[in-house]
Amino acid sequence: MRGAQRTRRVLGQGAVLQLPEHRLTWNEAVDLFIGDKRLDGRARQTIRNYEWVLKGRAKEFAAEQGFTTIEQWDAEAFRRFKAALAGVDPPLSLSALSIHHRTMKTFLRFCLERHYLSDPQVLMVKGPKIPEQHPRGLSQDEERKLLAAAKRLGERDRMLVELLLRTGLRPQEAARLTIDDLQETVNGVWLIRVYGKGDKERIIPLDTPHHALSETLRNYLRKERPKDTRRREMFLTKRHTGPDGDYAPMTSNGIAKLFGRIADRAGVQAHAYRCRHTFAMRSLAARLDHEALRKAMGHTTYRMTMRYLTATEEDLIAAYQRRTD
């Protein structure tokens, strides 16, 4: 009964499915879907995931099944696709399986709502069960090692790591920062204006009573960022690699790869997102208001923020060491 109620909620109470006269091919439906999501302002990584799945294994599966129109997809076809993914060699990770399932369900929902296919039961196919993993932050020793290793590579890299640690920015958000996004309020508070997933705008104050990150960032922009450039992005490549002969802006992939090299040099097992986890967990430890943290992180729901309330192993050990019984 719950499945039927969910289906009616998606399609509208009492909706009658009527397919268009022209039965769309897989490519036509995928192009319409991705174009629609681009107009919705979905993040670039989300669009890349859509293309990876829908122009990759899902398209290959449709061809193997002899499907000539999107309307031939039904719940049974979706289940067969799910089984086929589980049997690929080399096997897909649980994360990759989850991305495939979520993408297909979002795509098929889009097709249902526009009457490109007729079986609402496709929305009832369950995805793989992903074990819950709590985010892990960096220890203070790991943090020091990362900053020291980044400094040996150059001031830009050290500034980038410190900014990620103290603001919780996603790599793609750091890549989009421009020098105009660093702003001072009328009260003298320095902040950065961030454009996150779906181009949603938020602000992140830079300074705490004990750390003036804004001063460090302004020094970097004055002294270290290239002067001979027309670019406005805050973080640029170290050589003129742009098509116009100028410095190119760093990309999210570039930042992730750079962070990997820094972590290797530091002897620390970490990726760029662990800086984000560290920022959230340190903020909560410093008793930052939950709503303030949600806004700073760019989370749309409290559920995403509450993941960081779970104690880490280090927190648990430290708590027991403080016991007096």
Side-chain angles (χ1 to χ4, degrees):
M1 181 64 182
R2 278 168 49 190
Q5 289 173 341
R6 287 171 57 195
T7 302
R8 284 198 296 272
R9 187 161 61 246
V10 169
L11 299 176
Q13 188 72 29
V16 177
L17 289 174
Q18 293 181 338
L19 296 173
E21 292 183 9
H22 169 58
R23 302 293 175 89
L24 295 176
T25 65
W26 176 267
N27 287 343
E28 288 172 334
V30 168
D31 287 344
L32 286 170
F33 169 75
I34 291 178
D36 181 80
K37 298 309 174 187
R38 281 202 175 102
L39 287 174
D40 279 350
R42 296 294 174 93
R44 279 172 286 190
Q45 185 56 53
T46 302
I47 296 296
R48 282 195 287 268
N49 284 344
Y50 290 158
E51 292 176 332
W52 176 50
V53 172
L54 299 176
K55 296 184 179 182
R57 294 187 185 276
K59 181 178 179 179
E60 292 169 5
F61 177 83
E64 290 166 1
Q65 298 294 307
F67 294 166
T68 57
T69 67
I70 188 62
E71 201 272 332
Q72 291 171 280
W73 277 83
D74 56 17
E76 181 56 33
F78 194 3
R79 292 189 191 96
R80 291 201 304 272
F81 177 60
K82 180 181 170 184
L85 288 176
V88 300
D89 186 28
L92 294 173
S93 66
L94 279 176
S95 175
L97 287 171
S98 179
I99 289 172
H100 276 75
H101 184 85
R102 290 198 313 269
T103 297
M104 280 299 298
K105 185 162 279 191
T106 303
F107 171 61
L108 294 174
R109 183 189 301 270
F110 169 87
C111 292
L112 270 175
E113 290 172 345
R114 284 151 183 80
H115 310 316
Y116 301 155
L117 57 84
S118 59
D119 183 7
Q121 292 303 310
V122 292
L123 301 184
M124 303 300 111
V125 178
K126 294 183 178 179
K129 187 173 180 61
I130 307 295
E132 185 176 359
Q133 293 183 334
H134 298 305
R136 287 185 59 225
L138 294 159
S139 69
Q140 291 186 345
D141 183 56
E142 289 173 325
E143 200 174 313
R144 283 192 293 268
K145 288 179 178 178
L146 284 171
L147 287 168
K151 187 174 183 178
R152 289 194 291 271
L153 290 177
E155 188 56 30
R156 181 205 66 179
D157 302 339
R158 195 210 62 78
M159 185 70 252
L160 188 51
V161 171
E162 184 176 2
L163 188 69
L164 292 176
L165 282 166
R166 299 198 67 88
T167 62
L169 289 178
R170 302 176 177 97
Q172 58 268 37
E173 293 170 344
R176 294 183 67 182
L177 279 179
T178 72
I179 58 178
D180 305 304
D181 293 328
L182 175 62
Q183 299 172 7
E184 184 181 19
T185 69
V186 292
N187 297 324
V189 175
W190 285 92
L191 54 85
I192 52 172
R193 197 166 294 278
V194 180
Y195 297 89
K197 290 185 175 181
D199 282 332
K200 292 177 182 175
E201 181 182 325
R202 69 184 191 275
I203 62 166
I204 304 177
L206 293 175
D207 300 334
T208 68
H210 304 290
H211 191 94
L213 179 62
S214 67
E215 184 177 343
T216 309
L217 184 56
R218 282 180 285 150
N219 283 337
Y220 159 74
L221 294 175
R222 279 197 306 265
K223 300 176 181 179
E224 305 295 337
R225 184 179 177 273
K227 301 292 187 295
D228 55 332
T229 179
R230 298 182 302 277
R231 308 288 316 193
R232 306 298 291 175
E233 285 82 7
M234 196 172 285
F235 295 104
L236 305 173
T237 55
K238 294 183 177 180
R239 292 184 294 274
H240 296 80
T241 58
D244 55 357
D246 202 341
Y247 296 90
M250 293 191 73
T251 64
S252 57
N253 284 339
I255 291 175
K257 289 177 181 177
L258 170 64
F259 194 91
R261 291 199 300 274
I262 293 171
D264 287 342
R265 287 176 177 240
V268 174
Q269 288 189 335
H271 48 78
Y273 260 80
R274 280 194 70 187
C275 292
R276 182 168 167 82
H277 302 330
T278 302
F279 166 77
M281 296 167 84
R282 295 269 169 84
S283 297
L284 287 172
R287 294 179 172 81
L288 183 68
D289 178 77
H290 297 172
E291 171 64 7
L293 178 60
R294 184 187 71 79
K295 290 180 177 178
M297 297 287 285
H299 289 158
T300 55
T301 65
Y302 271 113
R303 183 174 178 273
M304 301 169 75
T305 310
M306 295 301 280
R307 292 183 308 152
Y308 295 102
L309 286 173
T310 57
T312 63
E313 293 176 4
E314 292 81 2
D315 294 331
L316 187 60
I317 292 170
Y320 267 70
Q321 288 174 340
R322 290 193 297 269
R323 288 177 60 164
T324 57
D325 58 336

